[in-house]
Amino acid sequence: MSLELADVHRLAVLAQLELNEEQSARTLDKLNGIFALVEQLRAVDTTGVEPLNHPIAALLPDLALRLRADEVTEANRRDAYQQVAPATQDGLYLVPKVIE
């Protein structure tokens, strides 16, 4: 995939950027370079390769990440927090409508 100069102009308008012709041409080269790298990465056969949870695992497979267990440690105090709210319903805070 490659972009054209018209695509860069459209992206600049969407991003609210003011690019002159030289900046547009440089941006086009950079974006097309990025797309070329993506195409190279897509061409690599990754069948049978397990995803890594951390890049260092590729170098040190015995490294165990010290992650805490995903368990609830706090008590549910939603009712106590919502007692001071002006309006709640079904455990949710009710706020005034601000957009018509």
Side-chain angles (χ1 to χ4, degrees):
M1 174 182 181
S2 64
L3 295 177
E4 296 177 3
L5 201 53
D7 297 322
V8 173
H9 289 301
R10 183 171 177 267
L11 289 171
V13 168
L14 290 173
Q16 297 183 355
L17 298 175
E18 291 183 23
L19 299 177
N20 59 31
E21 288 303 316
E22 179 187 336
Q23 292 171 327
S24 296
R26 283 196 320 238
T27 303
L28 176 65
D29 291 339
K30 289 179 183 179
L31 288 174
N32 282 333
I34 292 170
F35 286 136
L37 287 173
V38 170
E39 290 299 323
Q40 286 179 354
L41 290 174
R42 283 187 181 169
V44 175
D45 181 23
T46 58
T47 55
V49 177
E50 293 291 323
L52 300 174
N53 58 358
H54 197 279
I56 195 73
L59 301 174
L60 303 170
D62 296 334
L63 178 70
L65 295 178
R66 290 177 233 136
L67 301 177
R68 64 177 173 83
D70 189 17
E71 35 187 58
V72 177
T73 58
E74 298 283 328
N76 183 2
R77 299 182 359 198
R78 179 174 58 182
D79 293 333
Y81 293 146
Q82 289 187 342
Q83 283 179 351
V84 296
T88 61
Q89 179 182 356
D90 300 327
L92 303 173
Y93 293 94
L94 300 178
V95 296
K97 185 176 182 179
V98 293
I99 298 177
E100 297 290 330

